[in-house]
Amino acid sequence: DLHSQLKSAATSRDGVGTPVDLRTNSRVVTVDPEAATVTLVDGRSIAADVVIGADGVHVSISILVASSC
């Protein structure tokens, strides 16, 4: 299916550029949209060039981003 193909292309080391570091089941507690940094519930802080919150209908990432602006 399309989802599987896109995920494979984004995370593969065979393509051009750096593969995506895909993290699932990671509960985010804070977001800094200016620094593209998220802090997870376990205390880890992750910085990246781009952060995409794909939490579906639960929209917790959207709420965190909006409240930090």
Side-chain angles (χ1 to χ4, degrees), residues 18-44:
T18 305
V20 170
D21 180 10
L22 181 63
R23 296 175 186 247
T24 59
N25 297 318
S26 299
R27 178 166 251 182
V28 175
V29 292
T30 62
V31 176
D32 181 346
E34 296 292 322
T37 303
V38 297
T39 303
L40 303 180
V41 73
D42 67 5
R44 288 182 294 158

Side-chain angles (χ1 to χ4, degrees), residues 42-68:
D42 67 5
R44 288 182 294 158
S45 181
I46 302 167
D49 294 328
V50 175
V51 174
I52 300 172
D55 53 352
V57 297
H58 304 291
V59 298
S60 59
I61 294 298
S62 300
I63 293 166
L64 288 170
V65 171
S67 68
S68 67

